[in-house]
Amino acid sequence: QRVIVPIGGGKDSVVTLEELRVQCDIAPFIINPRGATIDCARIAGFDSEDKIIIMNREIDRNLLELNKQGYLNGHTPFSAMLAFYSLLVSAVTGIRDVALSNESSANEPTIPGTYINHQYSKSLEFEEDFRKYVHDYMGDSNHYFSYLRPLTELQIAEKFAKYPAYFHVFRSCNAGSKENKWCCHCPKCLFAYIILSPFIDDATMIDI
């Protein structure tokens, strides 16, 4: 009756946390803890780090040296790595179920006229491929799925708006993530404002 729930510090994982914690025992999972992730876990009732599964990852120093020489980073498929990290956590804890917070639009193509999604590792296709991989090579040790898969971004925003305790701690800004703030200039900040504005009044949104 336990479920591992990765917490990213944004609105999506908050909705998953809140909806699942009234149904079963939650094992929150955080990679490289920062303000928003720890604060969201705390508000959900996990008020000390010994109640949270924490994993730390570091960038290989050789990559940083290559950056200095002008090499490009490319895209880190973080969601794919998260799948394998969660597999390790399942093995260590004996908790089979891992509930992600990817929504329905993650299946839609992001390049017009193609079936290509720039974040394949957030799609249902990836989930099914990953589950098949685990089943074929590791048996029934892990069940990786997205709890929010049936929902659109707008539906998730509507649900999140019902949890005001998180308004001042959640963050969906990559640019400000290291300093635990909203930069108020990037596309993610703009998207968060737009998607929540039908459900949260302007004064509260500006305060957030």
Side-chain angles (χ1 to χ4, degrees):
Q1 295 299 309
R2 298 193 75 196
V3 180
I4 296 166
V5 176
I7 300 174
K11 60 180 172 34
D12 298 356
S13 57
V14 164
V15 172
T16 299
L17 258 181
E18 283 295 321
E19 294 210 351
L20 279 179
R21 77 188 182 107
V22 297
Q23 303 176 47
C24 53
D25 187 13
I26 297 294
F29 174 37
I30 296 175
I31 298 173
N32 286 8
R34 56 188 175 87
T37 53
I38 292 295
D39 287 343
C40 286
R42 175 179 52 79
I43 289 172
F46 304 97
D47 49 10
S48 62
E49 291 194 5
D50 61 348
K51 296 179 180 179
I52 305 167
I53 301 166
I54 292 176
M55 181 180 288
N56 291 292
R57 59 187 288 265
E58 297 178 5
I59 295 176
D60 189 316
R61 292 180 186 274
N62 291 328
L63 291 175
L64 299 178
E65 289 302 317
L66 289 170
N67 281 165
K68 291 177 183 177
Q69 297 173 38
Y71 288 87
L72 301 177
N73 281 317
H75 176 69
T76 302
F78 182 79
S79 302
M81 293 193 298
L82 176 60
F84 284 94
Y85 294 151
S86 71
L87 187 60
L88 175 61
V89 171
S90 283
V92 170
T93 61
I95 304 171
R96 177 175 173 267
D97 291 323
V98 180
L100 275 292
S101 302
N102 300 320
E103 27 64 47
S104 61
S105 68
N107 299 317
E108 298 171 7
T110 51
I111 300 177
T114 74
Y115 292 104
I116 298 170
N117 184 308
H118 78 292
Q119 295 198 85
Y120 155 72
S121 57
K122 288 188 174 183
S123 68
L124 179 60
E125 182 183 357
F126 172 83
E127 279 184 33
E128 292 173 342
D129 289 347
F130 182 74
R131 282 198 293 266
K132 184 177 186 306
Y133 176 86
V134 173
H135 179 269
D136 289 351
Y137 295 101
M138 301 173 198
D140 196 33
S141 61
N142 171 274
H143 181 221
Y144 179 91
F145 67 98
S146 179
Y147 179 75
L148 301 182
R149 183 65 67 190
L151 303 178
T152 65
E153 288 273 20
L154 200 61
Q155 289 172 313
I156 293 167
E158 184 177 18
K159 286 176 176 288
F160 175 79
K162 298 174 183 176
Y163 304 115
Y166 294 91
F167 286 1
H168 291 94
V169 300
F170 89 104
R171 299 287 185 273
S172 294
C173 171
N174 291 341
S177 62
K178 290 183 180 179
E179 298 175 69
N180 195 40
K181 68 180 185 180
W182 296 95
C183 78
C184 298
H185 297 289
C186 73
K188 288 199 74 173
C189 284
L190 178 60
F191 174 75
Y193 195 104
I194 291 171
I195 202 76
L196 289 168
S197 61
F199 313 109
I200 302 174
D201 64 89
D202 278 349
T204 303
M205 286 301 303
I206 291 167
D207 191 37
I208 290 171

